[in-house]
């Protein structure tokens, strides 16, 4: 049962319970100056960087230059193309052009010939390419800023500092099992960055995020996320908000830009796409879980929202 009051942070925390960060690959990169190494451009993948030894410049897709120092971490949730540089005038090479030596199952080491000497490399970077799995909250990714710096969270989240210190030690000392430890620390720090952004108000939130932050409207949104397969009526959702149907429907449309019925349908189809592609669930079972008595009706709704039939999801991420 929903509690009598769901505040902004409680609603956000509840909807983030299903958040998963799945590491696609990780790279420990040692470089001597001058260097430029390019990342990004894979749809649906975030990019994380930790600077074990710096300084390093981050150049974003819109040509902004952000200085990163030793111990800094940054998350680019949308994975837009970007470059790590020793100086602004260096021509970059794509990270996939470098020879990578496996360290363990998902972590590789990049140590170009230019840094193959016995001297300490100028830069040491631990990078992770990750896939967000946010279920019904998948639109959250597109609402995030292009670059999220961990330094902006340290005052509110002091638990990050020992994690960053541990990453610096593990990346530099290369003790037994260091590669796997770095990968897990990268996952945890990335998740805390996302949570910190949500708990601080999601920036200039609009649409359904703004609705989530509404103390009364947020209860109705959480209810739909809790029970997406329930045959919700506008009257039942209005009860969650504690208002009449007309007031609820008008408020929902004004804040989120869509009707409650459309919101619920889009939520269901995002979950369906995830369950079919990631979990391998059958289309029939997903349709039933989400409250559709007719497979044809489910397939029509899925194609209208996702843009392709549910059967196309079977090969996504395989």
């Amino acid at each position: 049962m929903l509690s009598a009051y769901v505040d902004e942070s409680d609603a956000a925390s509840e909807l983030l319970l299903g958040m998963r960060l799945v590491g696609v690959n990780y790279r420990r990169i040692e470089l001597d100056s001058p260097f430029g190494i390019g990342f990004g451009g894979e749809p649906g993948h975030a990019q994380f960087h930790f600077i074990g030894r710096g300084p390093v410049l981050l150049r974003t897709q819109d040509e902004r230059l952000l200085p990163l120092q030793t111990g800094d971490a940054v998350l680019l949730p949308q994975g837009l193309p970007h470059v790590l540089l020793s100086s602004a005038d260096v021509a970059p090479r794509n990270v996939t052009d470098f020879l990578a030596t496996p360290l363990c199952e998902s972590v590789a080491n990049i140590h170009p010939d230019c840094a193959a000497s016995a001297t300490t490399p100028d830069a040491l970077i631990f990078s992770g390419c990750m896939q967000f799995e946010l279920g019904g909250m998948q639109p959250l990714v597109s609402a995030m800023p292009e670059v999220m710096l961990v330094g902006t969270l340290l005052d509110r989240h002091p638990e990050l500092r020992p994690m960053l210190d541990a990453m610096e030690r593990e990346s530099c000392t290369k003790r037994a099992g260091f590669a796997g430890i770095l990968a897990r620390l990268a996952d945890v720090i990335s998740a805390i960055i996302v949570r910190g952004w949500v708990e601080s108000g999601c920036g200039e939130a609009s649409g359904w995020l703004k609705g989530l932050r509404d103390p009364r409207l947020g209860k109705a949104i959480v209810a739909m996320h809790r029970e997406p397969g329930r045959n919700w009526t506008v009257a039942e959702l209005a009860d969650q908000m504690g208002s009449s149907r007309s007031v609820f429907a008008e408020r929902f449309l004004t804040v989120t830009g869509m009707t409650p019925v459309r919101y619920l349908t889009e939520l269901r189809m995002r979950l369906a796409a995830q369950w079919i592609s990631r979990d391998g669930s059958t289309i029939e079972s997903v349709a039933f879980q989400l409250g559709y008595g007719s497979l044809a009706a489910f397939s029509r709704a899925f194609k209208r929202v996702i843009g392709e039939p549910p059967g196309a999801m079977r090969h996504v991420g395989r």
Side-chain angles (χ1 to χ4, degrees):
M1 295 290 293
L2 278 169
S3 61
Y5 178 74
V6 178
D7 67 24
E8 174 186 331
S9 61
D10 287 341
S13 296
E14 173 154 352
L15 296 187
L16 281 174
L17 284 176
M19 179 178 71
R20 296 202 313 171
L21 277 168
V22 180
V24 178
N25 60 63
Y26 304 88
R27 300 178 178 98
R28 180 183 183 275
I29 305 167
E30 297 176 282
L31 296 164
D32 278 341
S33 299
F35 64 83
I37 186 165
F39 299 84
E42 292 186 67
H45 291 84
Q47 189 74 45
F48 170 87
H49 300 297
F50 173 78
I51 310 303
R53 185 178 300 114
V56 173
L57 288 175
L58 168 65
R59 185 166 66 205
T60 64
Q61 189 177 38
D62 60 2
E63 298 298 320
R64 284 182 296 153
L65 280 175
L66 303 174
L68 302 174
Q69 305 297 329
T70 299
D72 277 344
V74 60
L75 178 69
L76 294 94
Q78 299 155 38
L80 296 176
H82 58 283
V83 180
L84 297 179
L85 303 148
S86 57
S87 60
D89 57 349
V90 179
R93 293 170 56 191
N94 193 284
V95 66
T96 58
D97 293 339
F98 291 87
L99 178 65
T101 305
L103 293 173
C104 63
E105 183 178 358
S106 61
V107 185
N109 195 65
I110 292 178
H111 194 131
D113 291 340
C114 63
S117 67
T119 60
T120 301
D122 296 327
L124 174 58
I125 304 159
F126 188 80
S127 293
C129 179
M130 304 170 182
Q131 187 169 15
F132 273 118
E133 292 186 357
L134 293 171
M137 288 189 66
Q138 198 62 36
L140 186 71
V141 176
S142 61
M144 293 177 188
E146 179 183 354
V147 178
M148 304 170 81
L149 295 167
V150 74
T152 63
L153 299 174
L154 290 176
D155 288 342
R156 296 194 308 275
H157 298 275
E159 71 274 12
L160 280 166
R161 174 50 61 194
M163 295 183 195
L164 294 169
D165 291 342
M167 283 204 79
E168 185 175 348
R169 288 194 303 272
E170 294 294 336
S171 61
C172 293
T173 59
K174 296 194 292 186
R175 297 171 62 190
F178 79 97
I181 291 172
L182 283 170
R184 299 292 76 78
L185 284 170
D187 293 350
V188 172
I189 291 171
S190 297
I192 292 175
I193 291 174
V194 173
R195 185 179 66 184
W197 178 74
V198 170
E199 291 179 345
S200 67
C202 301
E204 297 299 320
S206 61
W208 67 277
L209 279 174
K210 186 178 179 182
L212 183 62
R213 292 168 55 184
D214 185 305
R216 295 175 64 205
L217 194 59
K219 291 193 289 185
I221 293 175
V222 169
M224 284 189 275
H225 279 259
R226 278 181 169 176
E227 298 182 84
R230 179 172 168 175
N231 187 25
W232 288 102
T233 66
V234 174
E236 289 171 332
L237 291 169
D239 285 343
Q240 297 290 329
M241 180 174 162
S243 70
S244 67
R245 286 183 296 174
S246 59
V247 169
F248 167 73
E250 182 179 357
R251 177 65 178 163
F252 198 99
L253 180 61
T254 299
V255 172
T256 69
M258 64 181 74
T259 65
V261 171
R262 179 184 166 191
Y263 181 91
L264 180 59
T265 300
E266 293 195 4
L267 168 63
R268 287 171 166 174
M269 296 307 110
R270 290 194 299 270
L271 290 171
Q274 176 178 300
W275 293 347
I276 295 169
S277 64
R278 185 194 74 188
D279 301 337
S281 301
T282 65
I283 297 172
E284 291 80 4
S285 67
V286 169
F288 177 77
Q289 281 182 268
L290 293 174
Y292 286 85
S294 163
L295 186 58
F298 169 76
S299 297
R300 286 194 299 271
F302 190 95
K303 187 171 183 179
R304 184 170 65 250
V305 173
I306 304 299
E308 52 190 346
M313 293 292 103
R314 290 183 176 135
H315 305 293
V316 175
R318 291 282 197 252

